[in-house]
Amino acid sequence: GTTTPANAYVTWVDDREAGTGDTWSLKAKASALTSTDRTETIDSGSINLTLSDVTTWDADLSTDPQTRPAPNGTNVNNIAVPGVTQPGPAAISLDLGQPAVSLASTTTSARQGYGVKLEQVKLAVTTTADAAEKTFDGEITWTLDDTI
């Protein structure tokens, strides 16, 4: 099915001192889906994400990162960040159980908060008869790398 989340963001803060590094790369990968009774695995399918452009958000860099307010729709600047490369269009396919996919990268970072809104999430799987009537779990792993 398809889900349209409200105010769901993947966010990160580049609080490195000026001149200590200007690059970052955001990647994501989807695990295979495993039945809650651990008898079945689905690895033929994908999680399809529709993402916004990378934007900035008002991350108060003077506050403790553990208590810093997250983007909530009112503190996000809905203007694409210049110099950020994103695969286009904004639809990204994460194949289940496969390597990570690049979502965004830049070589010209600044001390600020960044975010990308999850506009839509869609699960597409090829099931087998053994998977019918079962509940499955999986996860998306997000990775931010500062060495492109």
Side-chain angles (χ1 to χ4, degrees):
T2 300
T3 299
T4 304
N7 290 324
Y9 292 86
V10 176
T11 62
W12 60 102
V13 175
D14 187 347
D15 59 359
R16 296 175 289 179
E17 293 299 324
T20 61
D22 295 332
T23 64
W24 53 254
S25 174
L26 177 67
K27 296 180 181 179
K29 69 177 182 175
S31 69
L33 305 178
T34 304
S35 62
T36 53
D37 66 6
R38 304 290 183 229
T39 61
E40 295 294 325
T41 299
I42 298 175
D43 58 6
S44 60
S46 61
I47 297 176
N48 302 306
L49 307 173
T50 303
L51 307 172
S52 71
D53 288 332
V54 173
T55 60
T56 60
W57 60 283
D58 299 327
D60 183 354
L61 298 179
S62 67
T63 61
D64 179 348
Q66 300 302 317
T67 60
R68 187 178 289 145
N72 57 25
T74 61
N75 61 357
V76 175
N77 306 312
N78 290 316
I79 301 170
V81 178
V84 173
T85 301
Q86 288 180 265
I92 304 293
S93 180
L94 306 177
D95 293 333
L96 300 178
Q98 296 301 309
V101 173
S102 178
L103 304 179
S105 63
T106 190
T107 58
T108 57
S109 188
R111 284 182 51 86
Q112 62 189 3
Y114 294 93
V116 62
K117 185 174 183 182
L118 298 173
E119 302 283 353
Q120 189 175 74
V121 179
K122 182 177 182 178
L123 176 63
V125 296
T126 304
T127 61
T128 64
D130 294 337
E133 304 297 323
K134 291 191 178 187
T135 301
F136 287 80
D137 291 326
E139 61 185 38
I140 297 175
T141 302
W142 306 91
T143 305
L144 183 64
D145 187 359
D146 65 357
T147 56
I148 298 177

